[in-house]
Amino acid sequence: MFKDSFKYYKSRSQIVDFSQVLDLNKDTPNLKKIDIKSETYFGFHPTHTWEVFEVVARPGLIIIKNPFTNVGQRYWAVRCLQDYSKRPYKRNIDSVKSTADIDDWWQVCNVTGDVELLKKLRWSTLGYHHNWDTKYYSEEHKTEFPEDLQNVTKFLSSVLNFGNYSAEAAIINYYHMDSTLSGHTDHSEPNLNAPLFSFSFGQTAVFLIGGKLKEDSAISMFLRSGDILVMSGDSRLCYHGVPRIINADSRPWESIMHIKDDMPKGYEHILKICKDEKLWTCFGDYLTHSRINMNVRQVLNKDQESL
Ligand SMILES: O=C(O)CCC(=O)C(=O)O
Ligand SMILES: [Fe+2]
């Protein structure tokens, strides 16, 4: 059962055996290779070099083994920490009295060196804001959806042959080494046919995915920095969660190669941070102790203009 596996991997009071966790670094019959179109896009290695798999036990669950250039990883980490964590996006810290007034969390953390505050940000929502109590989206609770995140998911959707994609809601999850995310399904979107794109950066997650029912058994997999998980088809409504964050076995964000980056216009200031070791340091330090997950969804159905 999902619950039992979750408890097992979460446990700190016993030695946990990770040998059954699906590992993209190992050749395994549990993964089926998928061929994709040949394209290029900012922040990624050319798609003909990508390793894309479907998880045999979970049809529709696709995983792209870190397709990012190291600069690409830095880019999204900077966006999540410096920009997607800011007002007017909605954050968990908004509803806590002591932190509710903080507009620019990242700047305050860096100016004050407040490590406690750094750990307080657990999520932020972009576009349609997920109401965690009612589990509904509404037109009244919506902010602009970032264009770069919109475009990167359009690109991925096209490369993977899912067709047109319109990213309209995202949850950015910020995890520390002791954070977990309990089992849930993502079913609030009127459009449940469109895939969900999940990007991982920083430390490694043990990701658990069961079936459509809580009682179904779960499989586990490592999500490392740069890996992209796509929940589509039959896996879109499966129970899933993160019982554990473990230390990364490599840190691809640490060094950058000077390859030409085909940067979309308007984001040059982000690229400047990625390429300047001094400016990058505080972001790199964060990733050394944390994991960031960008979880992107299409909310509306094809011909629907609003909720
Ligand atoms: O952090 C992850 O890998 C999963 C996050 C997730 O399931 C969610 O935000 O709904
Ligand atoms: Fe989820």
Side-chain angles (χ1 to χ4, degrees):
M1 249 163 72
F2 186 93
K3 199 167 80 209
D4 302 319
S5 308
F6 195 93
K7 221 170 134 189
Y8 177 71
Y9 286 114
K10 184 180 171 182
S11 172
R12 303 268 167 186
S13 58
Q14 59 181 326
I15 294 174
V16 175
D17 173 11
F18 292 105
S19 65
Q20 295 306 307
V21 182
L22 194 59
D23 187 342
L24 293 186
N25 284 347
K26 294 190 180 135
D27 200 16
T28 149
N30 299 325
L31 297 170
K32 187 175 100 195
K33 203 147 196 243
I34 295 181
D35 289 326
I36 53 162
K37 296 183 207 168
S38 184
E39 306 266 358
T40 57
Y41 192 86
F42 163 74
F44 290 125
H45 294 294
T47 59
H48 72 265
T49 66
W50 291 13
E51 291 179 74
V52 185
F53 304 97
E54 182 169 27
V55 179
V56 175
R58 290 291 178 281
L61 186 67
I62 294 169
I63 178 149
I64 311 176
K65 184 177 166 182
N66 177 24
F68 290 95
T69 62
N70 295 0
V71 165
Q73 291 213 21
R74 285 190 176 191
Y75 176 88
W76 292 107
V78 171
R79 290 291 277 156
C80 288
L81 290 170
Q82 173 185 281
D83 302 327
Y84 300 162
S85 62
K86 251 187 209 155
R87 286 227 175 88
Y89 301 127
K90 285 224 181 335
R91 310 152 307 173
N92 67 305
I93 55 173
D94 294 332
S95 52
V96 180
K97 213 169 158 215
S98 60
T99 51
D101 291 336
I102 299 174
D103 281 337
D104 191 337
W105 161 85
W106 183 246
Q107 196 198 22
V108 174
C109 286
N110 281 296
V111 168
T112 59
D114 186 341
V115 183
E116 289 302 309
L117 179 60
L118 200 69
K119 284 194 83 176
K120 280 183 182 154
L121 185 72
R122 285 290 281 113
W123 55 261
S124 105
T125 52
L126 328 173
Y128 283 111
H129 301 294
H130 189 252
N131 183 319
W132 302 93
D133 300 322
T134 64
K135 304 245 193 281
Y136 282 113
Y137 294 108
S138 75
E139 286 302 324
E140 287 69 48
H141 296 100
K142 182 182 166 183
T143 48
E144 204 191 317
F145 194 91
E147 207 187 343
D148 52 353
L149 192 51
Q150 165 90 248
N151 289 339
V152 78
T153 47
K154 267 194 200 312
F155 171 71
L156 288 170
S157 181
S158 150
V159 163
L160 297 172
N161 279 319
F162 285 113
N164 283 346
Y165 191 78
S166 174
E168 289 147 348
I171 301 176
I172 313 295
N173 294 292
Y174 304 86
Y175 294 86
H176 310 294
M177 298 316 286
D178 55 355
S179 307
T180 59
L181 178 70
S182 12
H184 64 279
T185 57
D186 294 304
H187 57 260
S188 307
E189 298 73 27
N191 187 339
L192 293 170
N193 295 315
L196 181 155
F197 291 96
S198 167
F199 303 81
S200 296
F201 300 106
Q203 301 302 303
T204 300
V206 175
F207 179 82
L208 209 56
I209 179 157
K212 292 199 176 119
L213 303 174
K214 268 192 182 141
E215 297 73 39
D216 294 335
S217 63
I219 54 171
S220 53
M221 53 205 293
F222 290 121
L223 294 180
R224 293 188 174 89
S225 196
D227 289 347
I228 302 176
L229 191 70
V230 187
M231 294 173 75
S232 74
D234 262 7
S235 75
R236 176 66 179 78
L237 285 173
C238 285
Y239 270 88
H240 60 279
V242 178
R244 189 132 180 177
I245 305 295
I246 59 170
N247 289 324
D249 47 13
S250 69
R251 297 176 176 179
W253 61 87
E254 269 190 347
S255 60
I256 54 165
M257 285 174 298
H258 290 277
I259 48 174
K260 197 181 158 292
D261 294 287
D262 200 7
M263 188 61 215
K265 285 225 164 352
Y267 296 98
E268 293 83 357
H269 60 295
I270 306 293
L271 203 57
K272 190 171 162 234
I273 298 174
C274 300
K275 292 189 167 177
D276 181 325
E277 294 303 332
K278 241 192 174 146
L279 297 176
W280 164 256
T281 303
C282 51
F283 299 93
D285 287 348
Y286 185 92
L287 289 186
T288 306
H289 307 287
S290 328
R291 169 176 183 257
I292 302 174
N293 171 260
M294 306 197 294
N295 212 273
V296 184
R297 302 104 194 262
Q298 175 164 339
V299 173
L300 302 175
N301 281 304
K302 218 165 145 215
D303 299 316
Q304 205 179 352
E305 278 181 9
S306 63
L307 282 171

